[in-house]
Amino acid sequence: MNTTSTHFVPPRRFEIYETTLSPVSMWEESFKNNGGIYTPNSIIIPTNAKPDSLSEDTSHGTPHKFDQEASTSRHPDKTQRRLAQNREAARKSRLRKKAYVQQLETSRLKLIHLEQELDRVRQQGFYEGNRVDTNALGFSDKMSSGIVAFEMEYGHWVEEQNRQISELRTVLHGQVSDVELRLLVDNAMKHYFQLFRMKSAAAKIDVFYIMSGMWKTSAERFFLWIGGFRPSELLKVLLPHFDPLMDQQVLDVCNLRQSCQQAEDAVSQGMEKLQHTLADSVAAGNLGEGSYIPQITCAMERLEALVSFVNQADHLRHETLQQMHRILTTRQAARGLLALGEYFQRLRALSSSWATRQREPT
Amino acid sequence: MDKVMRMSSEKGVVIFTKSSCCLCYAVQILFRDLRVQPTIHEIDNDPDCREIEKALLRIGCSTAVPAVFVGGKLVGSTNEVMSLHLSGSLVPLIKPYQSLLYQAN
């Protein structure tokens, strides 16, 4: 069939891709007219093989076929050069691929090795049968299942906290009824109280864990006061967001700030006394004799008090939040809770940024 | 218990403590800051220590020590004292017993 019909004449250059065209005549004609067709890095061959003289042997790759065609072209030099370039390009491509594959292999082996090491370390760090899926801080001590559970619960708590903050933010930017706002405020308050309950249970299991704020991010831990935030700090963060305040509110807030500071100071001094008595117990008797069981026993009894201090600190936080809720209007409370929530979010973000900064080479 | 009743009915602010109890110490510091000089009964040196402890718990104190009484009436332990203070209700309660001369820092 004669396909070079008069009503459709495709550009010369594209004829080589057309499989319905007669391959031989088109191929040769293209060469004659264009001086060869430039196909970067690859050779396009018409899929309908020539009936006779085209080589069926494809094992040598595309340049070989081209050779046979080129020998009949008008510009053997250009063709030769192009063929050489293609060969070189193909060779380089194969080398690059080889290097890449080798790199992949190495990385794969490294990954397997790291995974094995990680498993080993994890096994060493646990009582039998317990596993931790995620731990933001990493750990070196043995962790009891109760603390593992607390960490997981805390992860959920933070997620819910973030969700509540977003909701408050959205709602306060638009129109919202006092009723709906009160519901959000009550939920936010309950959410904080839930955390204090969680901490109380965890403190019974491992009070040092709670005292050190191990579940918090580094920036949060910088501000740690007996296992959590300072109630007076809370008031300082929130106050600017309550304007305007009515006269009675100003008075109430002022009184709350003062009583909060006094309560905090009293508990702080109690903590100091505990530290002193603990140090005295540990250092009692002859230091250097090598036997100190009585001192350890006595110190253990002193440490029992630490749990009640953590509980008392959380009680102060609880009561401070409660009093703020009482003094403020619903709308003010909502703004305050949003501010507080975002304050802690920023501290967490600061921790991440700082950690990233420290890993960069100087 | 008679002893407890007698001791707690003393005038002013009365606190039952133990020498080893650091939260008791914290409560004492708080009253000192409020310019109050409470009467302290350290029960661990008392031969009836255990009886006193039981009596205090029976009266309704959440923990035996510290047990705070104002004007003969039980206020409670650390939790109750702190809650009262943060709500602003503690100062009116102890006002009659606040010293003008004893100044806290």
Side-chain angles (χ1 to χ4, degrees), chain A residues 225-226 230-232 258-274 309 312-313 316, chain B residues 21-34 66 78 81-82 85-86 90 105:
Chain A
W225 179 76
I226 314 185
R230 277 182 184 275
S232 56
Q258 190 182 35
S259 51
C260 184
Q261 193 64 60
Q262 285 166 336
E264 206 176 288
D265 287 344
V267 173
S268 290
Q269 292 196 50
M271 262 303 283
E272 271 179 44
K273 178 150 196 274
L274 182 59
F309 266 94
Q312 193 54 232
L316 288 188
Chain B
C21 172
C22 295
L23 272 180
C24 297
Y25 181 72
V27 167
Q28 288 177 60
I29 296 288
L30 180 64
F31 280 109
R32 189 196 69 183
D33 276 355
L34 299 177
T78 325
V81 169
M82 294 299 174
H85 190 44
L86 289 178
L90 185 65
N105 291 335

Side-chain angles (χ1 to χ4, degrees), chain A residues 186-217:
Chain A
D186 286 346
N187 281 342
M189 297 286 287
K190 280 192 200 131
H191 197 56
Y192 278 110
F193 300 159
Q194 187 202 345
L195 179 61
F196 299 145
R197 281 196 301 276
M198 283 161 55
K199 282 168 70 182
S200 180
K204 289 197 188 89
I205 298 166
D206 185 349
V207 72
F208 281 130
Y209 177 88
I210 297 293
M211 278 293 303
S212 323
M214 293 302 295
W215 74 97
K216 288 177 179 278
T217 62

